[in-house]
Amino acid sequence: MWNEGYLIWISDALIVLTVIGIVGALTYLKKWRWLWDNWLTTVDHKKIGIMYLIAALLMFFRGGVDALLLRTQLAQPGEHFLDAEHYDQIFTTHGTIMILFMAMPFLFALFNIVVPLQIGARDVAFPYLNAISFWLFFFGAMLFNLSFVFGGSPDAGWTSYPPLTELGFDPGPGENYYLLGVQISGIGSIATGINFIATILKMRAPGMKLMRMPLFTWSTLGSCLIIIFAFPALSVSLALLMLDRVVGTHFFTMMHGGNPMMFINLFWVWGHPEVYIVVLPAFGVYSEVVATFTRKRIFGYSSMVASLMLITVISYFVWAHHFFTMGAGADVNTFFAVASMAVGIPTGVKVFNWLFTMFRGRIRVTLPMLWTLGFIPNFAIGGATGVMLAAAPGDYQYHNSYFLIAHFHQMLIGGVVNGMLAGMYYWWPKMFGFRLNERLGKWAFWIFNIGFYICFLPQYALGFEGMQRRMYTYPTDMGWGSLNFVSTIGAYLMGVGFLFIVWQVLYSLFHMERDTTGDPWDARTLEWSLPSPVPHYNFAVIPTITERDVWWAAKQRGTTDLLTPSAEDIQAIHMPKNSGRPFLMGFAFFVAGFGFVFNWYILAVIGLAGVALCMILRALEDQDEYVIPVEEVRETESALGRL
């Protein structure tokens, strides 16, 4: 780190000052015990969701700063703001953080906050495993980000292809940070997928049939089904590459009988379904938002469910379009080209259903609806350019060019980030009991989206003009300077838009618009029948569901009392106990990972022993629940004005 230059030194100083500030504030305010009891040891799905959300926003900032550094370097031809090695490290960390450490925790935040409430459950199926999932994600992300401070960041791109990542070409610790950070986080992601499939299939309230579930819950089910089949492929590929680097195997070493193409296939068997893992929940958010703010039932509910499930299946048959140019042959390319185009059909069904829902609806342009409306033109452009890329002959021209960069940012920012922010604004009152300031939020929306178009539309033209991705500089006579400069201006506008979101949150904390109703949007689904924020047991009495959009139907009929508890129906409630072991297990994984990064095997063994000890202690535990007495539940409900 001492040779990295002033940018790294400034960043390290800011990190140290931030840590000192946090530790000092917790000590001064005497909040260490509160932090441990209420957050670090919690198994409450709502609190875990809030921690995922905070982590996602922090990683959004980190990944966004990386993007601004990249665009600053490319703003002018012949620029040397960053050297080639530093540029490679930054585009690697940018891609990895945005996909795996920003988008994934953002959607897991919404899963945790919303799904149990929508299906009438008191918690997820496996609360303890849910806490482990979060801490594995958290410490995996921390291990990856530690590369910024100790040893150097990975520099082989977020796809990490061998032979570039084999030990002979990349001997430093950076690639080890990537492999172990993503691996630890990925284990948590697989556990989350299993947990929410079990929750949705086995924890629904009486009468909550599958075809009565809200569409966000359906989208969560589809996303988790992809997770449990796709993420193991990533885990296997990363484990084999780690063995190549640490143990000396040759799974991907061409000179010793290995095959790098095997890694690339395994990576994209996960990598393209990953796009649908993150975009399906965004589709679920749009469905909830459109129905609520048009005051209409979603148009074509059955076709929406069918299209979600079709996307879930087809997502596994498109991965080879990432290497149309490798020479697989016309038959292989044709199959994957057709599959890549076919996945656009169920996606189109959803877009038209949202438009038909809005048709003649009484649209309220709130912040969640604004981000949803902003998504539609974004996704139309992204979808059209995606079909262009899916045509194998055309892909020979577009492959690895800035046209591709513009396309996937159009999909992932225009589709996923818009959806996650719409969901954050929509369910924020349910999480925290107050609404975010609309005026500042609209400033954030317009600045961010105008900046988005200014940033990425020029990149389509740059791709047609032959600019390749991963170039850290370019000569003046290529004629790319003007478009790159415009693109950089757009990137900085997006950064200003993000700062407005931060300002909006901070302003709203001090000027709260309290939600005293539990239903500030006049919404449709079951979570809005609960007070905001929700009691830790969720439902005092598990409701019986008689139809889809049960809360909306009850409001229309004036029978909302049927979904609120009566004193005589309340019984003692069994809830899972808090536990510090998930946090300690995540930390043990972090210690083991750090040991493997630097080949300090004693430290790695100590970390793995800590993991094993946590698992053994959990296996021996027989008192993992506590009982909330009837009187306490009644007092809580009375204080909330529900009895």
Side-chain angles (χ1 to χ4, degrees):
M1 61 178 282
W2 306 115
N3 300 319
E4 291 289 345
Y6 70 94
L7 285 175
I8 300 296
W9 301 337
I10 292 171
S11 301
D12 290 344
L14 291 173
I15 291 169
V16 170
L17 290 173
T18 301
V19 171
I20 291 172
I22 292 171
V23 172
L26 289 170
T27 304
Y28 178 77
L29 297 172
K30 299 179 180 179
K31 289 292 186 180
W32 285 107
R33 186 72 188 181
W34 167 85
L35 182 66
W36 177 260
D37 290 342
N38 289 281
W39 295 96
L40 300 186
T41 62
T42 188
V43 296
D44 183 346
H45 68 95
K46 300 178 290 298
K47 289 183 176 180
I48 289 172
I50 290 169
M51 290 192 292
Y52 269 124
L53 178 63
I54 294 169
L57 292 173
L58 289 173
M59 290 296 101
F60 198 2
F61 172 76
R62 164 72 205 278
V65 170
D66 283 348
L68 293 180
L69 292 172
L70 298 177
R71 288 311 318 167
T72 302
Q73 167 64 21
L74 294 170
Q76 301 179 75
E79 180 63 62
H80 293 288
F81 170 67
L82 304 173
D83 61 34
E85 173 64 16
H86 198 182
Y87 183 88
D88 289 350
Q89 291 181 5
I90 289 176
F91 79 67
T92 299
T93 56
H94 167 71
T96 307
I97 285 171
M98 286 304 206
I99 293 289
L100 288 158
F101 299 130
M102 186 281 289
M104 292 297 291
F106 219 138
L107 65 97
F108 288 164
L110 298 185
F111 288 2
N112 274 280
I113 291 160
V114 178
V115 170
L117 305 182
Q118 283 197 334
I119 63 173
R122 290 211 169 98
D123 210 315
V124 295
F126 308 113
Y128 187 91
L129 182 63
N130 198 28
I132 292 174
S133 296
F134 171 76
W135 291 115
L136 288 181
F137 151 75
F138 178 85
F139 282 109
M142 289 302 100
L143 183 64
F144 182 85
N145 280 275
L146 196 63
S147 66
F148 192 65
V149 181
F150 298 112
S153 297
D155 59 2
W158 83 281
T159 54
S160 199
Y161 288 168
L164 184 61
T165 51
E166 289 286 318
L167 201 57
F169 297 98
D170 192 355
E175 183 61 23
N176 292 350
Y177 273 119
Y178 170 94
L179 294 170
L180 289 155
V182 174
Q183 185 76 285
I184 292 169
S185 177
I187 296 169
S189 297
I190 294 170
T192 297
I194 294 168
N195 207 344
F196 277 89
I197 290 172
T199 300
I200 293 167
L201 295 182
K202 303 300 292 183
M203 302 284 287
R204 301 191 307 278
M208 177 69 79
K209 299 178 181 178
L210 287 175
M211 294 306 287
R212 289 177 180 169
M213 291 197 312
L215 284 169
F216 181 76
T217 299
W218 267 111
S219 71
T220 301
L221 179 61
S223 180
C224 290
L225 287 170
I226 302 175
I227 285 173
I228 65 169
F229 288 105
F231 259 88
L234 177 68
S235 296
V236 168
S237 62
L238 298 181
L240 295 178
L241 183 53
M242 194 67 207
L243 288 172
D244 277 9
R245 292 179 58 85
V246 173
V247 181
T249 56
H250 299 294
F251 292 106
F252 309 123
T253 312
M254 292 179 68
M255 299 301 291
H256 297 278
N259 185 356
M261 202 65 219
M262 182 168 67
F263 177 92
I264 297 171
N265 271 288
L266 284 170
F267 182 90
W268 285 114
V269 163
W270 162 80
H272 205 87
E274 164 68 11
V275 175
Y276 300 102
I277 289 170
V278 294
V279 83
L280 284 181
F283 291 167
V285 170
Y286 298 138
S287 299
E288 302 294 339
V289 168
V290 167
T292 294
F293 295 110
T294 56
R295 300 176 64 85
K296 289 174 65 180
R297 295 187 84 175
I298 198 76
F299 180 90
Y301 173 87
S302 298
S303 65
M304 294 289 267
V305 172
S307 63
L308 278 169
M309 293 298 104
L310 274 173
I311 292 170
T312 300
V313 174
I314 298 173
S315 68
Y316 291 105
F317 298 101
V318 299
W319 83 87
H321 73 215
H322 290 273
F323 32 92
F324 274 151
T325 61
M326 75 176 184
D331 292 343
V332 171
N333 282 0
T334 299
F335 175 86
F336 285 99
V338 171
S340 301
M341 295 178 189
V343 79
I345 297 172
T347 306
V349 167
K350 308 183 81 55
V351 174
F352 281 110
N353 280 4
W354 292 320
L355 292 173
F356 286 137
T357 305
M358 292 183 221
F359 181 63
R360 292 182 176 174
R362 288 177 284 173
I363 299 175
R364 290 175 287 157
V365 187
T366 59
L367 275 177
M369 192 64 180
L370 200 57
W371 284 95
T372 300
L373 293 170
F375 146 80
I376 293 175
N378 266 331
F379 215 70
I381 297 170
T385 54
V387 173
M388 293 171 68
L389 286 159
D395 190 69
Y396 275 78
Q397 176 65 37
Y398 315 132
H399 187 74
N400 269 349
S401 74
Y402 260 74
F403 185 91
L404 172 64
I405 299 293
H407 159 72
F408 73 67
H409 282 89
Q410 194 95 42
M411 302 298 277
L412 290 173
I413 297 177
V416 178
V417 173
N418 273 37
M420 295 301 101
L421 290 174
M424 181 187 78
Y425 286 122
Y426 184 58
W427 283 297
W428 186 279
K430 190 55 56 183
M431 287 185 270
F432 299 107
F434 66 94
R435 288 170 60 172
L436 291 173
N437 181 272
E438 288 268 329
R439 182 176 59 86
L440 289 173
K442 288 179 178 178
W443 273 99
F445 170 83
W446 286 111
I447 294 172
F448 187 92
N449 276 271
I450 291 169
F452 174 81
Y453 283 107
I454 293 173
C455 181
F456 291 106
L457 288 184
Q459 293 183 17
Y460 288 111
L462 285 167
F464 282 134
E465 291 181 8
M467 184 171 177
Q468 295 295 293
R469 67 196 296 192
R470 307 187 183 99
M471 297 177 71
Y472 97 100
T473 191
Y474 52 92
T476 303
D477 59 7
M478 297 304 294
W480 300 335
S482 297
L483 288 172
N484 270 301
F485 187 75
V486 171
S487 182
T488 299
I489 292 172
Y492 273 89
L493 282 174
M494 292 171 71
V496 173
F498 179 80
L499 292 178
F500 265 87
I501 293 174
V502 175
W503 182 14
Q504 176 193 20
V505 172
L506 295 176
Y507 178 88
S508 301
L509 283 171
F510 293 99
H511 303 84
M512 290 184 183
E513 184 183 341
R514 287 283 184 186
D515 169 30
T516 57
T517 66
D519 185 16
W521 308 122
D522 192 18
R524 311 180 69 84
T525 45
L526 191 59
E527 72 270 28
W528 301 103
S529 68
L530 295 168
S532 302
V534 180
H536 61 288
Y537 49 77
N538 294 354
F539 296 90
V541 176
I542 299 297
T544 298
I545 309 303
T546 56
E547 57 193 306
R548 182 158 50 89
D549 289 347
V550 62
W551 177 240
W552 177 260
K555 288 189 291 185
Q556 299 306 304
R557 290 195 296 263
T559 57
T560 55
D561 57 308
L562 297 177
L563 294 173
T564 53
S566 58
E568 58 272 16
D569 291 333
I570 293 176
Q571 299 178 0
I573 297 173
H574 290 257
M575 296 295 292
K577 288 181 179 178
N578 285 358
S579 174
R581 278 192 301 274
F583 174 84
L584 296 174
M585 183 184 290
F587 181 71
F589 266 106
F590 175 85
V591 171
F594 191 74
F596 279 120
V597 165
F598 290 99
N599 298 327
W600 298 340
Y601 296 119
I602 294 176
L603 187 63
V605 170
I606 291 172
L608 292 176
V611 173
L613 179 62
C614 289
M615 296 175 71
I616 291 168
L617 291 174
R618 172 62 176 176
L620 296 175
E621 185 177 30
D622 57 1
Q623 297 294 328
D624 59 352
E625 290 187 344
Y626 71 100
V627 176
I628 305 176
V630 173
E631 295 75 18
E632 183 179 334
V633 180
R634 287 176 178 167
E635 285 176 10
T636 302
E637 293 294 308
S638 296
L640 294 169
R642 290 165 57 82
L643 285 183

